[in-house]
Amino acid sequence: MNNSNYFLGIMTAIVGLMMLLAAEPMVQILVIVLGIFAILSGGWTLAAVAPLSVDKNFKIQCYIRGAVGIVVGLLCVVLPLRVAAFAWQTLVYVFAFYSLAAALVEIPITLTLHKDGFPVKRYVLEIAASIALAVILFFLPSSAGFTIIRIGGAILLLTGAAISFLAWKNRDIIADDAIVRDE
């Protein structure tokens, strides 16, 4: 292992520690990251998926899904910077509704792509992930989010410590200008 593994372990541990000690700002960052994902997903649907078929209904579904994704993503990015904590739970529900609606709209899009001979495994996985995310966001109480962030922080802290320890344990040993590898 090289020195970059030390750096990776230390940075992972620092992120985990931040998640443990400052769960609320991490939730805010997570909502913003989900918003950026929604913007990118909407843009991808408009730019790359809509041109794949000449079917008018397919294009309309793509345009709706893409535009809604961009709008919801912008809300998730802009609103947390402008409003109080009340907006966080509202944004979680808005994003959950968007995830569910996007999955439902993507089903006929995926069926059309499959019918036209395009590979659809990625889209089926995206539908399943969107539905799972929506269910999780709808049914988790807002306080559970902080608990999940803290559990994730503890896992990252332990993972970072393990990476750093393994990097130290598997380091090259230099003796009299010769490198001895422990194998």
Side-chain angles (χ1 to χ4, degrees):
M1 293 187 139
N2 57 25
N3 288 338
S4 65
N5 288 334
Y6 287 119
F7 181 72
L8 174 67
I10 290 169
M11 292 308 295
T12 303
I14 289 172
V15 170
L17 190 60
M18 288 172 46
M19 289 172 71
L20 277 171
L21 300 178
E24 188 171 339
M26 292 305 288
V27 170
Q28 294 172 347
I29 291 169
L30 180 63
V31 170
I32 292 171
V33 168
L34 287 173
I36 292 170
F37 170 76
I39 292 169
L40 294 175
S41 177
W44 175 261
T45 300
L46 290 175
V49 178
L52 291 177
S53 178
V54 294
D55 183 31
K56 181 180 175 183
N57 289 333
F58 176 83
K59 287 192 179 288
I60 290 171
Q61 291 166 348
C62 286
Y63 293 147
I64 290 171
R65 185 188 184 287
V68 169
I70 290 171
V71 169
V72 169
L74 287 173
L75 287 174
C76 288
V77 170
V78 173
L79 283 181
L81 303 175
R82 303 277 182 229
V83 293
F86 169 74
W88 291 112
Q89 191 62 34
T90 304
L91 284 174
V92 167
Y93 287 135
V94 166
F95 195 79
F97 179 74
Y98 159 72
S99 294
L100 187 59
L104 294 176
V105 168
E106 196 162 352
I107 290 171
I109 292 172
T110 303
L111 291 173
T112 302
L113 288 174
H114 180 66
K115 184 179 76 175
D116 291 343
F118 288 97
V120 294
K121 182 179 179 181
R122 173 190 170 299
Y123 300 107
V124 171
L125 290 174
E126 186 177 335
I127 290 168
S130 293
I131 291 172
L133 178 63
V135 168
I136 289 169
L137 292 176
F138 275 130
F139 291 112
L140 279 181
S142 59
S143 62
F146 294 116
T147 304
I148 291 171
I149 292 290
R150 286 191 175 105
I151 290 171
I155 291 170
L156 283 178
L157 182 63
L158 293 173
T159 302
I163 290 171
S164 295
F165 174 74
L166 290 174
W168 172 79
K169 185 176 181 259
N170 295 330
R171 71 191 182 281
D172 293 335
I173 301 171
I174 300 175
D176 296 328
D177 296 328
I179 297 177
V180 179
R181 298 197 193 286
D182 184 23
E183 296 184 30

